[in-house]
Amino acid sequence: LAKTTQPISMDSYEGQEVNITCSHNNIATNDYITWYQQFPSQGPRFIIQGYKTKVTNEVASLFIPADRKSSTLSLPRVSLSDTAVYYCLVAGNNRKLIWGLGTSLAVNP
Amino acid sequence: ETGVTQTPRHLVMGMTNKKSLKCEQHLGHNAMYWYKQSAKKPLELMFVYSLEERVENNSVPSRFSPECPNSSHLFLHLHTLQPEDSALYLCASSQDVAGRSNQPQHFGDGTRLSIL
């Protein structure tokens, strides 16, 4: 099983950069790392996905070290609307999808 | 607009009622999923369908019965539910089965189910 571990919660302030790290020690060769964002009473939304090194899109960056046993979601200059739960999911390689509890990010004014 | 639509958004039912949850995806995806999300618990994958064929059933009680008549529609039929079944039920879709590939899932906004 591709188990992931994330901090339960984080606090930040508007305008700061937020980095959320996920541990996935038993990641397999064919696994990809995907991050989702969830607001209350909504389904998770895809943010970013990567396999190795660095991936950047219009909302976030994803850093993956060479051993791939962890990954870091970076949110630049967060705003109040970034307050949400963030999930790291490791999938692929014909294995079951196991979601963690996610990281509850609170952005303060 | 998520591309995945779930109805109803809220449902209150007694333990002896029969109801159905509906999910429709407009993304042309081949895989669809039902998840259960309870407070302070991880998302629990219930069922996975690929091209209308059930490919995964994660030990879900028989009081939950899924149906996938075509690749765009997914139902979850509910019968004789228990209070602990109260939760947010989420439907998702992806191009291919997420557990076998890197395809991200697209979620609907869920049905909030309350069992009296």
Side-chain angles (χ1 to χ4, degrees):
Chain A
L1 299 178
K3 183 181 176 183
T4 61
T5 304
Q6 306 173 231
I8 293 296
S9 63
M10 294 182 69
D11 277 284
S12 184
Y13 292 92
E14 286 188 287
Q16 289 189 333
E17 178 184 78
V18 171
N19 296 308
I20 307 174
T21 297
C22 178
S23 297
H24 26 81
N25 291 320
N26 63 342
I27 190 169
T29 302
N30 295 333
D31 285 339
Y32 278 74
I33 301 153
T34 309
W35 284 81
Y36 293 85
Q37 174 192 56
Q38 186 177 25
F39 297 113
S41 298
Q42 293 186 21
R45 298 283 181 268
F46 170 82
I47 302 174
I48 196 166
Q49 183 183 73
Y51 183 80
K52 62 180 179 180
T53 63
K54 177 184 175 182
V55 180
T56 297
N57 62 22
E58 63 275 9
V59 297
S61 294
L62 179 59
F63 298 91
I64 305 168
D67 66 6
R68 303 202 326 124
K69 293 183 182 299
S70 67
S71 59
T72 299
L73 174 72
S74 181
L75 304 172
R77 298 178 298 282
V78 294
S79 64
L80 297 176
S81 62
D82 293 316
T83 294
V85 178
Y86 293 83
Y87 295 95
C88 158
L89 181 66
V90 172
N93 203 43
N94 259 345
R95 296 202 287 179
K96 287 185 178 292
L97 300 174
I98 306 294
W99 293 72
L101 286 170
T103 298
S104 181
L105 173 66
V107 179
N108 303 292
Chain B
E1 176 59 48
T2 66
V4 179
T5 304
Q6 289 188 245
T7 54
R9 289 299 311 277
H10 302 273
L11 179 61
V12 179
M13 57 187 286
M15 289 191 284
T16 58
N17 291 157
K18 289 183 181 181
K19 296 285 184 183
S20 296
L21 309 185
K22 179 182 176 181
C23 176
E24 183 174 1
Q25 58 100 356
H26 316 278
L27 302 169
H29 289 165
N30 294 323
M32 296 188 77
Y33 314 76
W34 279 117
Y35 282 92
K36 175 184 179 183
Q37 187 172 38
S38 305
K40 301 189 189 304
K41 288 186 176 181
L43 276 163
E44 300 173 48
L45 180 61
M46 301 173 72
F47 302 103
V48 181
Y49 277 83
S50 176
L51 294 170
E52 302 142 47
E53 176 187 350
R54 191 188 313 177
V55 297
E56 195 166 329
N57 175 350
N58 289 303
S59 304
V60 179
S62 60
R63 58 185 184 269
F64 294 92
S65 175
E67 178 190 1
C68 187
N70 55 62
S71 58
S72 298
H73 294 86
L74 187 64
F75 295 90
L76 187 63
H77 304 300
L78 316 172
H79 177 50
T80 320
L81 295 193
Q82 304 299 308
E84 62 266 28
D85 297 323
S86 297
L88 181 68
Y89 288 84
L90 291 162
C91 173
S93 71
S94 62
Q95 186 59 51
D96 297 304
V97 176
R100 303 175 188 172
S101 71
N102 63 323
Q103 297 299 317
Q105 296 166 80
H106 297 251
F107 285 81
D109 285 334
T111 295
R112 175 69 62 185
L113 177 65
S114 299
I115 307 300
L116 302 179

